[in-house]
């Protein structure tokens, strides 16, 4: 069966790392058909719109979307795109690899981040010259849906035997209280083990003892911040892929942004984008191909060539060619 893939490179290094991921996908024996859409700062400067309707529709109608990054318009692009694919969970693995100089080489974490509400639901107001407010939205239904996904996730993989629930319900009693009750309630009903960790204490604990954690279920903002923190533990943003999963659709993207400091130089690390493509393959049912890509990436990380962020001096194309070679 042919799968339609929407490809949205976006701005900055999105235009370098997504072509790298496509090159890897093209080397595999899969039935993916790519259709390209535009989004981000560049298209906004040209047309006035950061996310033109045809691009939104392309993502909404595709079997999956591969997205790079958008610059200043990131929120105007990625939030509606996650909405277009109706994604309720953002999966962000943060894993240290042999050969990569990591602050905490024992790190191997999977963040399952609530992807629709919390403080990112867009309810902000300026009430006076001195006062702005933000409404934090938490529903039992979204919390329970995330929990069901997390339970399926740990049950379908023998490596996992439960998950940690991160919140700050001691302070945000109503919103995080509802989140915690929803998530833990579902896990208890389904007989899945959970432990609860307060968000601030968790930040310290993953720095000191990341091996104490495995699958982590958290509210939207907390997942965004804590997974970037985990990126720092494993060697940088150039390594972290992510998946936004909906009931019938999904979007895959590196965690990093447009990296304006290195964009256009051909030196961006393609690993995060290539691993995002591997997550997409897995999601579409090409689990063997996904595993092959991961193995090839791991081999290149271990033996080189490496990009500058990992201490090497190879460019994006050289690293991508090495991954293709390993395949
Ligand atoms: P960033 O992730 O673009 O860069 C942070 C640092 O990590 C930079 O020093 C960069 O060179 C490095 N880095 C990131 N990815 C790399 C890679 N693949 N290889 C080597 N080094 C890499 O985050 P920053 O600087 O906070 O944001 C830059 C722009 O990106 C902003 O306009 C922001 O709005 C946008 N952004 C977009 C996102 C999205 O579209 N999902 C996510 C995060 C930021
Ligand atoms: Mg972020």
């Amino acid at each position: 069966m042919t799968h339609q893939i929407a490809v949205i490179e976006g701005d900055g290094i999105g235009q370098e790392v997504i072509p790298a991921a496509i090159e890897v996908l093209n080397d595999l024996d899969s039935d993916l058909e790519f259709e390209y859409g535009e989004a981000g700062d560049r298209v906004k400067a040209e047309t006035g719109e950061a996310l033109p309707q045809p691009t939104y529709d392309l993502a909404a109608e595709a079997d999956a979307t591969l997205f790079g990054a958008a610059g200043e318009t990131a929120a105007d692009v990625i939030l509606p795109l996650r909405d277009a694919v109706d994604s309720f969970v953002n999966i962000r693995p943060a894993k240290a690899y042999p050969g990569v100089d990591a602050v905490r080489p024992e790190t191997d974490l999977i963040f399952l981040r609530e992807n629709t509400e919390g403080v990112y639901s867009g309810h902000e107001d300026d009430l006076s010259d001195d006062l702005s407010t933000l409404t934090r939205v938490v529903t039992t239904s979204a919390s329970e849906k995330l929990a069901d996904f997390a339970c399926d996730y740990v049950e379908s993989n023998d490596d996992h035997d439960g998950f940690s629930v991160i919140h700050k319900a001691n302070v945000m009693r109503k919103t995080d209280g509802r989140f915690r009750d929803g998530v833990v309630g579902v896990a208890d009903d389904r007989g899945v083990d959970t432990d609860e960790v307060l968000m601030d204490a968790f930040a310290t604990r993953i720095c000191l003892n990341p091996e104490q954690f495995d699958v982590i279920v958290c509210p939207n903002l907390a997942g965004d911040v804590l997974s970037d923190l985990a990126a720092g533990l494993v060697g940088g943003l150039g390594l972290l892929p992510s998946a936004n999963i909906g009931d019938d659709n999904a979007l895959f993207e590196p965690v990093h942004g447009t990296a304006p400091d290195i964009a256009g130089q051909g030196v961006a690390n393609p690993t995060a984008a290539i691993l995002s493509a591997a997550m997409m393959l897995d999601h579409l049912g090409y689990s063997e191909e996904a595993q092959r890509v991961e193995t090839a990436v791991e081999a290149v990380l271990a033996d080189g060539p490496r990009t500058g962020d990992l201490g090497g001096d190879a460019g994006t194309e050289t690293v991508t060619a090495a991954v293709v070679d390993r395949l």
Side-chain angles (χ1 to χ4, degrees):
M1 193 178 77
T2 303
H3 288 98
Q4 298 292 332
I5 308 300
V7 181
I8 306 169
E9 297 176 354
D11 301 311
I13 64 167
Q15 295 174 21
E16 301 168 48
V17 297
I18 295 301
I22 298 290
E23 196 179 321
V24 170
L25 290 173
N26 276 333
D27 197 64
L28 298 165
D29 208 11
S30 64
D31 287 327
L32 305 183
E33 273 180 17
F34 304 112
E35 269 191 72
Y36 285 77
E38 287 201 289
D41 296 358
R42 212 174 29 123
V43 65
K44 183 171 185 187
E46 285 164 16
T47 68
E49 275 182 302
L51 183 63
Q53 190 66 38
T55 307
Y56 182 96
D57 293 343
L58 186 69
E61 285 156 22
D63 294 308
T65 297
L66 191 59
F67 172 67
E72 295 309 312
T73 55
D76 304 322
V77 173
I78 190 61
L79 297 180
L81 273 182
R82 286 178 186 153
D83 190 47
V85 303
D86 205 14
S87 79
F88 57 90
V89 57
N90 184 206
I91 310 176
R92 292 186 167 192
K95 176 175 164 184
Y97 293 96
V100 175
D101 193 16
V103 175
R104 287 287 176 206
E106 58 279 46
T107 308
D108 189 357
L109 304 168
I110 306 279
F111 287 87
L112 301 179
R113 163 192 175 195
E114 202 290 319
N115 215 19
T116 61
E117 48 187 39
V119 292
Y120 284 180
S121 48
H123 301 287
E124 273 197 298
D125 288 298
D126 290 321
L127 295 187
S128 77
D129 288 346
D130 185 50
L131 175 66
S132 300
T133 59
L134 164 67
T135 303
R136 185 167 197 254
V137 176
V138 175
T139 63
T140 298
S141 50
S143 306
E144 290 184 347
K145 186 159 187 174
L146 175 68
D148 261 319
F149 182 89
C151 290
D152 291 344
Y153 191 91
V154 300
E155 282 175 351
S156 66
N157 188 327
D158 293 341
D159 293 345
H160 309 299
D161 58 1
F163 56 81
S164 304
V165 188
I166 309 304
H167 60 73
K168 192 84 181 162
N170 56 334
V171 179
M172 295 180 279
R173 292 184 183 133
K174 295 208 184 301
T175 50
D176 262 2
R178 183 178 290 276
F179 176 80
R180 181 209 39 214
D181 291 349
V183 173
V184 174
V186 166
D188 285 350
D189 285 349
R190 291 186 52 172
V192 171
D193 283 343
T194 56
D195 62 319
E196 293 179 41
V197 189
L198 293 176
M199 202 181 288
D200 41 2
F202 176 79
T204 309
R205 285 179 58 190
I206 51 166
C207 291
L208 294 177
N209 303 106
E211 72 284 356
Q212 290 178 349
F213 298 100
D214 178 25
V215 177
I216 295 145
V217 174
C218 46
N220 203 337
L221 170 66
D224 193 7
V225 174
L226 295 168
S227 59
D228 272 31
L229 191 157
L233 298 179
V234 302
L237 278 169
L239 297 171
L240 263 69
S242 79
N244 300 276
I245 305 290
D247 288 319
D248 305 309
N249 203 331
L251 179 145
F252 301 82
E253 53 170 336
V255 170
H256 64 71
T258 58
D261 52 336
I262 58 165
Q265 298 171 26
V267 298
N269 187 346
T271 302
I274 295 171
L275 290 175
S276 299
M279 291 180 85
M280 181 174 81
L281 287 168
D282 195 46
H283 178 77
L284 293 172
Y286 298 106
S287 47
E288 196 190 315
E289 286 81 358
Q291 190 55 55
R292 280 179 60 210
V293 172
E294 262 182 61
T295 304
V297 166
E298 282 174 19
V300 172
L301 288 172
D303 301 336
R306 298 190 188 93
T307 44
D309 56 318
L310 302 181
D313 57 9
T316 312
E317 283 178 13
T318 305
V319 172
T320 306
V323 172
V324 170
D325 211 38
R326 293 281 186 161
L327 281 175

